[in-house]
Amino acid sequence: MMKTLPRLLALSLAVALPAPVFAAQTYALVVGVDQYPNDVSLDGAVRDAEDVYRSMSAAGFTPTKFTNEQARKDDIRKAWTDMVAQAAAGDTIIFTYAGHGAQMPELVAGDEADGLDEFLQLPGFDRNRHEETSNEIIVDNEMNAWFAEAEGKGVHVLFVSDSCFSGGMSRSIKGKSRLAPAVKVKLAPPSQEAIAGANLKEISFKQVTVLAASLESQPTPEVIIDGEPRGALSWSFARAVEGSADRDGNGIITRIELEDYVFSNVKNRSEALQVPNFTPQVARSDGEVVVTLTRGIPVASNNTTTTDTSDNGAADTGKAIKTAKDLGWTGNIALQIDGTADKPKNTDGTGTPYRWDVATGVFYTPNGDVAAESVSADSIQSVVDKYVLLDFLKAMASQNPGSVSLTPTKDIYAAGDRLRFDAPPGRYPNMLVFNLANTGEVQFLDMQAAGTNSSEFKLSDVEVVKPFGADHLITIWTAEPVDAIGAVLAGKNVTAEAVLQALTTRLDGKEASVAIQPLYTRETL
């Protein structure tokens, strides 16, 4: 371990740093659509927009919001034009969209490799009257032209799209998809704006970053977060803007910080149904800034650091660490019991419930996933305790997520599949690894403490076997002592309730990074 500078010396060096730069202005355009009069409506897109709007307002941005029938293309276009006109070089415009996406035959021949343009669908569009309503979609080519206007002034753009353009979900969840039916007919000749945009590709922009909810081959489902239908990307982006993605607490979010935060939390909140997609795929530089959280407050320039370290090697960012209850954890889940059975404890939560079918023994998540099979009256409490603990861990991860991997990457695995799980060393010296099985059983896998030869933890050639359902592989990194927690995990017949008590006593409100890897299995695909 490298020896750190004494705190006094670190402070004296900070005095000699170059003069701080001042934060540029950030404008925000927020669109969310649930109500589609001519199509299947959604349940969580307006919640997404309201959440993102509140977070942006609190961050000091200047946001403009359009929801449902307010989301008319001409009004959105004018708002964008006004923002570009007001913005100066170095400012940022953030455009977030939550709602349906769809595809149609390309407007400009030869423009798309697959022959299809993507578009954002606004409430006024009607496929049955496409000629009269075609102005109520925003085509990808048009958005390129919009982005070019901003980049031409030296204005940075971040576009966050919580929609989708592809189907093919393997798991049978009950939430709605943000994919509208494709348009089969070729629409009217494109506007000059769309023609100009066809000559521009997202990859060619120098100051534009696009963050999509999922890969092009994946759907974007609405999932249950805090008891309500939401978009996992919008939820994660709102938390990022609140400051959770600002790892070093310097008032700016770099592309790398946003990527690390969003990838982990979208996986956690969507239960591994989605993988976000950035364009460009790799950050343009290590210090590339995509979001500035402060206005008129000095922030560090890219060639300085404001992070000190203590003798244990953990980052001291000065950021306030919230408790799980401050982050919305209640210690309860909502549970619907189909059949006759005693009600387990910790099941007085609100919102969309988990569901237990007493006759079949199947336990379902609020998303409709099969979480466990053969759950009896004797074992239901263990499963409930698992999800109470899992909610606690998700709350911890929401402010400081870690990164782990499961390969190959799928949203569901079949009996006989072989997997590999990797948990790298974190930026804290202590690490715990354990599994929360679909039965509610806790399986202790590893503990690495400061002073030992810490290394990457690997599970190689793991085979999927019965019982099927949802496991959750957990990794925690911290500078806090972990021996007592490790002793609980290693105990005979350890329960999720006991692990929760150990974690709330020793790590709640303390600096720790948490990674959650969902693993959904069934007998055959």
Side-chain angles (χ1 to χ4, degrees):
M1 181 182 296
M2 293 179 60
K3 186 176 181 180
T4 60
L5 290 171
R7 183 174 294 273
L8 182 60
L9 178 56
L11 290 174
S12 66
L13 286 177
V15 173
L17 291 174
V21 295
F22 284 84
Q25 292 221 32
T26 300
Y27 301 87
L29 178 57
V30 181
V31 178
V33 181
D34 278 337
Q35 299 302 316
Y36 287 92
N38 308 301
D39 214 322
V40 176
S41 290
L42 297 171
D43 297 321
V46 171
R47 286 192 185 97
D48 289 344
E50 298 288 358
D51 189 14
V52 170
Y53 180 84
R54 285 191 297 269
S55 298
M56 287 182 167
S57 299
F61 302 167
T62 305
T64 299
K65 172 168 57 73
F66 298 95
T67 57
N68 286 336
E69 70 278 359
Q70 300 169 347
R72 295 179 291 270
K73 184 177 180 178
D74 288 345
D75 294 337
I76 294 170
R77 182 66 172 103
K78 183 179 184 305
W80 176 269
T81 302
D82 290 346
M83 288 180 187
V84 173
Q86 294 175 49
D91 288 347
T92 298
I93 299 176
I94 302 176
F95 181 6
T96 71
Y97 172 81
H100 275 315
Q103 293 179 313
M104 66 180 183
E106 60 186 359
L107 291 173
V108 178
D111 172 45
E112 301 284 351
D114 60 0
L116 298 171
D117 273 323
E118 284 77 40
F119 64 87
L120 308 181
Q121 181 172 321
L122 302 177
F125 182 64
D126 184 352
R127 281 164 184 73
N128 298 319
R129 297 187 304 114
H130 56 82
E131 291 184 1
E132 305 101 294
T133 63
S134 61
N135 188 52
E136 292 307 318
I137 63 175
I138 305 176
V139 185
D140 51 5
N141 291 346
E142 294 174 322
M143 297 204 68
N144 284 343
W146 297 13
F147 297 160
E149 292 172 357
E151 185 160 285
K153 288 190 65 175
V155 175
H156 300 270
V157 174
L158 174 61
F159 175 49
V160 182
S161 177
D162 203 342
S163 59
C164 66
F165 307 101
S166 175
M169 193 181 305
S170 296
R171 291 192 346 228
S172 299
I173 70 168
K174 64 183 181 182
K176 295 178 179 178
S177 170
R178 292 188 174 176
L179 173 67
V183 171
K184 302 296 186 182
V185 298
K186 190 174 181 67
L187 297 187
S191 63
Q192 288 301 311
E193 187 172 73
I195 293 173
N199 296 320
L200 302 168
K201 301 300 178 187
E202 292 171 348
I203 198 66
S204 65
F205 288 112
K206 304 302 181 186
Q207 296 190 119
V208 176
T209 301
V210 177
L211 173 53
S214 55
L215 301 174
E216 289 186 3
S217 60
Q218 292 180 317
T220 299
E222 291 195 328
V223 296
I224 302 302
I225 299 177
D226 297 332
E228 297 179 329
R230 291 293 306 272
L233 177 61
S234 296
W235 185 94
S236 299
F237 185 70
R239 306 290 79 72
V241 169
E242 288 174 347
S244 293
D246 180 17
R247 180 172 291 173
D248 54 12
N250 67 348
I252 59 176
I253 300 175
T254 66
R255 157 66 192 267
I256 291 174
E257 286 178 322
L258 182 62
E259 184 175 299
D260 289 345
Y261 184 83
V262 165
F263 269 91
S264 296
N265 274 289
V266 168
K267 178 168 67 174
N268 292 346
R269 294 294 169 167
S270 73
E271 288 290 301
L273 279 168
Q274 299 169 238
V275 178
N277 188 29
F278 274 92
T279 303
Q281 193 170 20
V282 178
R284 298 177 179 95
S285 69
D286 290 346
E288 179 188 4
V289 176
V290 290
V291 180
T292 302
L293 299 178
T294 52
R295 178 188 297 160
I297 300 174
V299 297
S301 61
N302 287 341
N303 60 353
T304 64
T305 177
T306 58
T307 302
D308 189 13
T309 55
S310 58
D311 289 343
N312 61 19
D316 179 12
T317 65
K319 290 175 62 176
I321 306 300
K322 296 180 179 179
T323 66
K325 288 190 174 179
D326 288 336
L327 294 163
W329 178 71
T330 64
N332 292 284
I333 64 170
L335 177 65
Q336 172 186 332
I337 300 175
D338 294 344
T340 303
D342 292 334
K343 180 181 177 183
K345 64 181 181 180
N346 303 112
T347 56
D348 291 327
T350 60
T352 306
Y354 291 82
R355 183 168 68 88
W356 175 39
D357 188 321
V358 177
T360 64
V362 178
F363 188 88
Y364 298 90
T365 72
N367 291 327
D369 275 313
V370 174
E373 299 175 342
S374 303
V375 177
S376 66
D378 293 334
S379 59
I380 181 60
Q381 187 64 60
S382 296
V383 177
V384 167
D385 289 344
K386 168 193 168 168
Y387 282 97
V388 172
L389 170 57
L390 189 61
D391 279 356
F392 171 82
L393 293 165
K394 285 183 177 181
M396 290 185 66
S398 71
Q399 60 183 336
N400 195 358
S403 179
V404 295
S405 64
L406 189 66
T407 51
T409 302
K410 298 180 181 179
D411 55 30
I412 193 164
Y413 300 84
D417 282 352
R418 294 187 177 276
L419 316 171
R420 170 175 168 151
F421 173 71
D422 293 273
R427 58 194 179 101
Y428 303 105
N430 304 323
M431 181 171 73
L432 297 162
V433 188
F434 56 97
N435 182 45
L436 299 177
N438 57 70
T439 58
E441 178 186 358
V442 179
Q443 299 165 341
F444 183 38
L445 299 175
D446 191 33
M447 180 178 75
Q448 297 181 12
T452 62
N453 294 324
S454 60
S455 61
E456 180 178 26
F457 174 77
K458 301 179 182 179
L459 280 177
S460 300
D461 200 30
V462 177
E463 183 179 0
V464 174
V465 297
K466 289 182 178 182
F468 304 115
D471 284 28
H472 290 81
L473 290 152
I474 310 297
T475 306
I476 301 174
W477 301 265
T478 182
E480 300 294 321
V482 294
D483 297 278
I485 303 172
V488 171
L489 286 165
K492 187 177 181 180
N493 299 323
V494 61
T495 64
E497 183 180 30
V499 174
L500 176 61
Q501 183 177 3
L503 293 176
T504 53
T505 302
R506 293 172 174 83
L507 291 185
D508 195 18
K510 306 292 180 62
E511 195 160 350
S513 181
V514 177
I516 304 169
Q517 177 60 61
L519 170 57
Y520 280 78
T521 63
R522 65 186 180 207
E523 189 162 10
T524 58
L525 295 182

